[in-house]
């Protein structure tokens, strides 16, 4: 990860590079979340259906889907394929969402590709996510990718990415998140995520709760999709965590027993890698990578902001985008397994529509100090009230509220001394911290 550069201005944090560039891509877009695939399908048809020009893999789920997506793309790249990788949301730049051969699309090329689709985007009244999805699919076609790995944005059934007919689709897990859009029970959320199941397309499921598995099983049977439930965790042996890797042993059908290591830290990342390997095993033989490509690809994956550990100016920083209760529990498990320098200070900014009463106590119980702040790039309608939250959770850990983000970052840095700062709660929080510290999410090669 590259670091350095001039410090940010308040304007840069309020309107980071990502938003400035997005405004140049599509100056006028429909706002909010608008369900339905008709607009995306219409726009893609007007562009000649670029998403039909290359084989694709479709990955959904509540947590871990981005890690699985980037791992698959890394392995396919090591296998000699020109792999496209589409993920969301981004941390610092919209360029992070559209990656080819392991590199985020260049700004000038992104603007050029956007100009090619702008008329269609405006004609069909696309939302931001729909527009960027169409842009990504178009860019992959123009870049002549051999295969694309596509992460679902929200839910599945009505997500803009669900226009795909992939070679393989998968769902990592089902947790409570986005209940206002997907439903207020795990069963309802599972039903939305099961919407990516396609007739004749192998479907891999990482969720293990019996009731939820049954929802996916029934959906697969109804549409005629081969169904492959996988307990990835049960397949793992000898999982070891370090500050820069997670290593584990995994038995596979195609490559026998393998000792693998991913630079993504956490036991949950071992499970994500195991699920990615299962997806690879269901690819057509012509695209299935050899053993060495699997090993090298998993070892070389880059997915910033996921238990990302950096050493800066004599202290340790851990950046994690955990934005729901399950994500926080994974982060806490990682903290419990790593011997990070003390004191441990957590800098937290959560969106107001998240379940922060459940998220904060387990994290704060590990902290020597918690600093609550406002993610400056968070949408105005989704901002939380750090002072009210601080009053509600007082007593779990020593607490400080600094609504100004740069002041909060400085307070956390000062309190940590030569210990550790954990930045978490939202992609907005992590992205703003990376920008302020001069860390480029995908680094430079």
């Amino acid at each position: 990860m590259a670091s350095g550069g001039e410090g940010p201005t308040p304007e840069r944090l309020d309107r980071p590079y990502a938003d400035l560039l997005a405004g140049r891509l599509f100056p006028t877009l429909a706002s909010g979340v608008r369900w339905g695939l008709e607009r995306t399908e219409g726009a893609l048809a007007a562009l000649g259906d670029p998403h039909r020009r290359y084989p694709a893999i479709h990955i959904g789920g509540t947590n871990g889907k981005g890690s699985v997506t980037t791992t698959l793309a890394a392995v396919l790249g090591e296998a000699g394929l020109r792999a496209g990788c589409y993920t969301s949301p981004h941390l610092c730049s919209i360029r992070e969402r559209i990656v080819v051969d392991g590199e985020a699309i260049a700004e000038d090329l992104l603007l050029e590709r956007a100009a090619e689709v702008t008329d269609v985007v405006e004609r069909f009244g696309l939302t931001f996510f729909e527009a960027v999805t169409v842009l990504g699919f178009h860019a992959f076609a123009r870049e002549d990718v051999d295969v694309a790995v596509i992460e679902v944005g929200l839910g599945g059934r009505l997500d803009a990415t669900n226009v795909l007919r992939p070679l393989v689709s998968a769902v990592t897990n089902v947790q409570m998140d986005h209940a206002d859009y997907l439903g207020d029970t795990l069963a309802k959320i599972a039903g939305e995520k099961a919407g990516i199941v396609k007739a004749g397309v192998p479907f891999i499921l990482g969720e293990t709760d019996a009731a939820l598995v049954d929802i996916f099983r029934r959906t697969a049977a109804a549409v005629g999709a081969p169904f492959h439930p996988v307990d990835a965790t049960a397949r793992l042996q000898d999982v070891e965590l370090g500050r820069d890797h997670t290593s584990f042993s995994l038995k596979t059908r195609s490559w026998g027993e393998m000792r693998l290591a991913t630079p993504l830290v956490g036991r949950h990342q071992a499970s994500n890698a195991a699920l990615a390997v299962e997806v690879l095993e269901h690819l057509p033989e012509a695209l299935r990578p050899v053993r060495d490509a699997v090993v090298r690809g998993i070892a070389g994956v880059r997915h910033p902001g996921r238990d990302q550990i950096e050493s800066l100016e004599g202290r340790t920083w851990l950046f994690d985008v955990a934005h729901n209760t399950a994500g926080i529990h994974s982060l806490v498990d990682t903290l419990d397994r790593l011997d990070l320098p003390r004191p441990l200070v957590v800098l937290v900014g959560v969106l107001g529509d998240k379940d922060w009463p459940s998220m904060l106590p387990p994290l704060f119980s590990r902290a020597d100090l918690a600093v609550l702040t406002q993610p400056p790039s968070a949408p105005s309608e989704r901002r939380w009230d750090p002072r009210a939250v601080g009053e509600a959770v007082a007593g779990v850990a020593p607490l400080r509220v600094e609504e100004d983000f740069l002041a909060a970052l400085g307070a956390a840095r000062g309190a940590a001394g030569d210990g550790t700062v954990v930045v978490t709660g939202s992609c907005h929080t992590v992205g703003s911290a990376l920008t302020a510290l001069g860390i480029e999410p995908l680094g430079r090669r």
Side-chain angles (χ1 to χ4, degrees):
M1 305 291 176
S3 62
E6 299 179 358
T9 64
E11 179 185 3
R12 181 172 171 83
L13 284 179
D14 289 337
R15 295 192 66 214
Y17 171 77
D19 294 333
L20 294 172
L21 180 56
R24 293 167 62 192
L25 293 177
F26 306 114
T28 58
L29 288 173
S31 60
V33 176
R34 297 166 60 197
W35 289 121
L37 303 179
E38 297 82 5
R39 292 177 302 279
T40 304
E41 290 173 334
L44 289 168
L47 293 168
D49 287 327
H51 58 310
R52 306 292 187 207
R53 299 181 200 169
Y54 43 81
I57 302 168
H58 201 196
I59 307 297
T62 303
N63 293 329
K65 60 183 183 292
S67 296
V68 172
T69 298
T70 52
T71 298
L72 287 166
V75 171
L76 293 169
E78 285 292 341
L81 298 173
R82 187 167 171 79
C85 182
Y86 181 75
T87 59
S88 62
H90 54 263
L91 296 175
C92 301
S93 169
I94 197 172
R95 295 173 48 243
E96 300 163 31
R97 298 186 181 218
I98 302 172
V99 172
V100 178
D101 272 350
E103 298 294 336
I105 188 169
E107 179 180 336
D108 57 350
L109 185 58
L110 183 64
L111 291 168
E112 180 181 338
R113 297 290 173 250
E116 294 167 356
V117 304
T118 296
D119 288 347
V120 168
V121 165
E122 293 179 349
R123 187 195 324 161
F124 286 89
L126 302 188
T127 64
F128 173 78
F129 184 74
E130 291 169 339
V132 177
T133 299
V134 167
L135 172 59
F137 290 173
H138 170 74
F140 290 153
R142 295 280 275 128
E143 294 304 303
D144 293 320
V145 301
D146 298 313
V147 61
V149 192
I150 309 296
E151 178 188 1
V152 172
L154 179 64
R157 181 174 64 94
L158 298 174
D159 186 76
T161 65
N162 204 29
V163 297
L164 294 171
R165 180 173 175 79
L167 295 174
V168 182
S169 57
V171 165
T172 57
N173 51 56
V174 178
Q175 303 288 343
M176 287 302 300
D177 203 10
H178 302 295
D180 46 345
Y181 293 115
L182 304 180
D184 57 1
T185 67
L186 289 176
K188 290 178 182 178
I189 294 172
E192 290 296 323
K193 294 186 183 300
I196 71 170
V197 178
K198 302 288 195 308
V201 176
F203 175 72
I204 318 300
L205 179 64
E207 177 59 56
T208 58
D209 180 272
L212 300 179
V213 171
D214 190 56
I215 291 171
F216 289 96
R217 188 189 310 278
R218 286 187 277 110
T219 301
V223 304
F227 179 56
H228 305 279
V230 177
D231 186 347
T233 302
R235 295 188 176 190
L236 300 171
Q237 291 184 333
D238 302 323
V239 180
E240 298 177 358
L241 269 64
R243 287 173 53 135
D244 61 355
H245 74 281
T246 304
S247 60
F248 55 95
S249 296
L250 178 69
K251 290 184 178 179
T252 71
R253 296 183 303 279
S254 300
W255 305 287
E257 185 164 348
M258 309 176 76
R259 185 68 186 173
L260 299 167
T262 173
L264 306 180
V265 179
R267 286 187 63 88
H268 59 292
Q269 294 294 1
S271 296
N272 290 334
L275 187 66
V277 170
E278 181 70 20
V279 171
L280 292 168
E281 294 206 74
H282 290 274
L283 288 177
E285 189 171 349
L287 290 178
R288 199 175 307 149
V290 299
R291 180 190 180 97
D292 285 350
V294 177
V295 175
R296 292 194 308 270
I298 290 176
V301 63
R302 293 186 297 166
H303 196 38
R306 279 71 182 175
D307 289 323
Q308 173 185 344
I309 299 176
E310 301 281 347
S311 294
L312 297 172
E313 300 175 343
R315 67 181 55 83
T316 300
W317 294 78
L318 187 153
F319 305 93
D320 190 74
V321 298
H323 60 277
N324 55 38
T325 304
I328 288 292
H329 282 299
S330 292
L331 168 58
V332 167
D333 181 76
T334 299
L335 293 175
D336 287 346
R337 295 174 186 276
L338 294 177
D339 185 20
L340 298 177
R342 310 293 296 208
L344 191 147
V345 179
V346 295
L347 175 63
V348 185
V350 180
L351 296 180
D353 53 6
K354 298 297 183 177
D355 185 16
W356 54 262
S358 297
M359 294 170 60
L360 299 184
L363 178 63
F364 287 4
S365 69
R366 271 70 175 181
D368 298 300
L369 173 68
V371 180
L372 301 183
T373 190
Q374 188 71 257
S377 62
S380 58
E381 70 277 7
R382 299 182 68 192
R383 296 194 169 197
W384 72 341
D385 183 345
R387 296 197 179 279
V389 172
E391 293 175 1
V393 299
V396 180
L399 193 66
R400 180 170 175 176
V401 177
E402 289 284 358
E403 294 204 41
D404 179 81
F405 188 80
L406 290 179
L409 191 66
R413 177 165 37 198
D418 55 2
T420 301
V421 180
V422 177
V423 182
T424 191
S426 168
C427 287
H428 294 280
T429 307
V430 170
S432 294
L434 294 175
T435 297
L437 295 168
I439 300 174
E440 298 182 16
L442 289 179
R444 289 174 177 166
R445 285 187 174 180

